[in-house]
Amino acid sequence: MVSATVGKSAVLGAVVLSLVAVPAQAASGQAHPRAAAARLPAPDMTGLRAVLRSAVAQGAPGAMARIDDSGSVHKATQGVADRSTRRAISTDDHFRVGSVTKTFSAVVLLQLADEHRLTLDAPVNRYLPGLLPDDRITVRHILSHRSGLYDYSNDMFAHSVSGFEAVRRKVFTYRQLVALSLQKPRTNAPGAAYSYSNTNFVVAGLLIEKITGHAVRTEYQNRIFKPLNLHDTFYVHPDTKMPGRYTRGYLTPDTTGAALVDATEQTASWAQSAGAIISSTRDLNTFFSALLGGRLTSSARLAEMERWTPVNSTTAYGLGLRRRTLSCGISVYGHTGAVQGYYTYAFTTKDGKRSIAALANTSNNGKVLDTMAGTLESAFCGRPTETPQPVATTEPDQDMAPAGVG
């Protein structure tokens, strides 16, 4: 029998935080004049538990969430981490965070910009001569998904299971992945439009390694993991094993009714600096709280991250950072992640004082993906005063490839 658990490290009163809810603004960074301060209500833990139950009912073996709120901690879990042993899922478990990795990669490049080793508006080819076919593609275009580079994973995972099995133990170089992208026409001219592409953050990994002379793993560790004491966060590529205690991930096949595929062990080499980090709910909350709290970059570079390009009616994208406006009008900042077997939502408030990291251990399941977006509503909007409407995440241009990878 599946059970739900909830824990708090402290009693949460009505904590008042100052937030700014800003509509989507152009890539130029010019904000609309309207801005509204919002009172942040207490998290709706009853609603959060209901979201996790729904995700499990829709096909996820397990689901979990952790909220860190100015020293108070709230946890909720539902279902299992391992379908074979039936071990209950735990917020202490490690898991693959997918495209949340992109924010880590962006932070490293922005730190390099702070160190005057990188210019955001410089052509990528200045640092990586001849890599890209257009000298107009800048570092900023790469980090904001406005390069026009085709996402190679669209073809790689057009069929979820066979595509995954073909690459789960394969090791790619960054340049091999870029070459796959360049086999296809670009989606738009540099800077002309937002088009989510894992290729962009493969290029980001190449930039990190070329400018620093170190592997991305070393730069993640020295610049982010160690300074923030992220003891549950790892970059093990190309190893297939996950360290410590972890939640297993289960890929949903394209064929309705087919058995889930255990996708836990994989190189994640198809993703690398675009999606191969392993972490925990605590560490993700620590990371995004530190980032929005101004502890990882200068204020000028953080402002660059927050120069938004509209994506759809509820989301905008900066530099490796997503802004999401919730039904209550509050905007939160972070990233979503999907890698075979795992869906992640990791977001925080404008000041970094309240953060949530939530996971469902399945992928290629649109119902679960949409349902898990409700964890943000419960964490930041509080208990609804009327029946909430479903919040769809799969609007056009959302950051998922056909098999729910992104």
Side-chain angles (χ1 to χ4, degrees):
M1 180 177 179
V2 176
S3 62
T5 63
V6 181
K8 286 198 296 184
S9 67
V11 177
L12 177 68
V15 180
V16 179
L17 299 176
S18 177
L19 293 178
V20 178
V22 185
Q25 55 203 57
S28 65
Q30 296 299 312
H32 289 275
R34 182 178 67 84
R39 178 184 294 269
L40 198 65
D44 176 15
M45 295 306 297
T46 299
L48 183 62
R49 293 193 295 272
V51 168
L52 301 185
R53 285 196 299 270
S54 293
V56 170
Q58 292 165 345
M64 62 178 170
R66 171 177 168 138
I67 299 170
D68 283 87
D69 186 11
S70 299
S72 295
V73 178
H74 306 258
K75 304 176 183 178
T77 64
Q78 183 76 26
V80 299
D82 188 321
R83 297 177 71 228
S84 297
T85 66
R86 308 303 296 174
R87 180 177 71 80
I89 200 168
S90 167
T91 55
D92 294 328
D93 289 351
H94 303 155
F95 53 90
R96 299 187 184 277
V97 306
S99 283
V100 180
T101 302
K102 291 178 171 66
T103 311
F104 287 80
S105 297
V107 166
V108 173
L109 287 176
L110 289 166
Q111 288 180 350
L112 292 171
D114 272 329
E115 296 163 12
H116 306 292
R117 300 167 70 182
L118 175 77
T119 301
L120 292 174
D121 292 310
V124 169
N125 283 349
R126 175 186 296 179
Y127 306 102
L128 298 165
L131 177 72
L132 302 181
D134 193 330
D135 286 340
R136 296 176 298 168
I137 299 175
T138 67
V139 177
R140 188 186 301 278
H141 292 151
I142 292 295
L143 294 179
S144 59
H145 291 297
R146 295 185 300 123
S147 68
L149 294 172
Y150 181 79
D151 189 345
Y152 59 84
S153 71
N154 290 338
D155 299 325
M156 190 177 284
F157 303 119
H159 301 285
S160 63
V161 176
S162 61
F164 169 61
E165 294 295 355
V167 301
R168 77 183 293 168
R169 299 190 184 280
K170 191 168 182 177
V171 178
F172 294 93
T173 67
Y174 285 124
R175 290 180 181 270
Q176 285 174 329
L177 295 173
V178 173
L180 289 175
S181 169
L182 296 181
Q183 291 175 6
K184 293 297 183 72
R186 280 173 278 159
T187 57
N188 50 261
Y194 170 93
S195 182
Y196 191 93
S197 174
N198 284 295
T199 309
N200 289 315
F201 279 80
V202 169
V203 174
L206 269 171
L207 284 167
I208 290 169
E209 295 196 345
K210 179 61 179 294
I211 293 169
T212 66
H214 300 141
V216 292
R217 178 188 311 190
T218 300
E219 294 302 312
Y220 290 154
Q221 289 176 336
N222 291 343
R223 293 173 176 273
I224 303 173
F225 299 174
K226 290 180 181 178
L228 295 182
N229 294 315
L230 304 184
H231 300 302
D232 297 324
T233 304
F234 311 93
Y235 186 82
V236 301
H237 170 267
D239 289 348
T240 61
K241 299 287 187 180
M242 293 177 64
R245 192 176 79 167
Y246 54 85
T247 286
R248 303 194 74 86
Y250 297 93
L251 172 62
T252 305
D254 296 327
T255 304
T256 302
L260 298 178
V261 174
D262 189 330
T264 310
E265 292 188 7
Q266 59 169 299
T267 62
S269 192
W270 68 267
Q272 299 190 49
S273 52
I277 282 178
I278 296 164
S279 192
S280 68
T281 55
R282 183 193 70 86
D283 276 9
L284 290 182
N285 284 348
T286 299
F287 169 65
F288 280 107
S289 177
L291 175 58
L292 271 293
R295 294 167 52 199
L296 287 174
T297 70
S298 67
S299 59
R301 296 292 80 76
L302 182 57
E304 296 279 4
M305 291 192 85
E306 297 176 338
R307 292 175 63 179
W308 306 110
T309 299
V311 175
N312 55 42
S313 62
T314 60
T315 64
Y317 206 89
L319 302 184
L321 187 68
R322 186 173 294 281
R323 187 189 70 205
R324 189 176 184 90
T325 301
L326 305 177
S327 64
C328 56
I330 290 172
S331 290
V332 292
Y333 305 80
H335 216 287
T336 49
V339 64
Q340 291 89 356
Y342 303 91
Y343 281 143
T344 302
Y345 283 82
F347 285 82
T348 192
T349 49
K350 177 68 172 175
D351 57 9
K353 291 185 178 179
R354 182 184 295 182
S355 303
I356 184 173
L359 171 85
N361 61 341
T362 194
S363 65
N364 197 36
N365 184 325
K367 289 183 179 179
V368 171
L369 175 64
D370 287 352
T371 292
M372 289 298 290
T375 60
L376 306 183
E377 298 284 327
S378 297
F380 300 107
C381 292
R383 189 179 298 274
T385 57
E386 56 186 32
T387 302
Q389 298 299 311
V391 180
T393 65
T394 51
E395 297 186 44
D397 289 326
Q398 188 65 351
D399 59 345
M400 301 294 165
V405 176

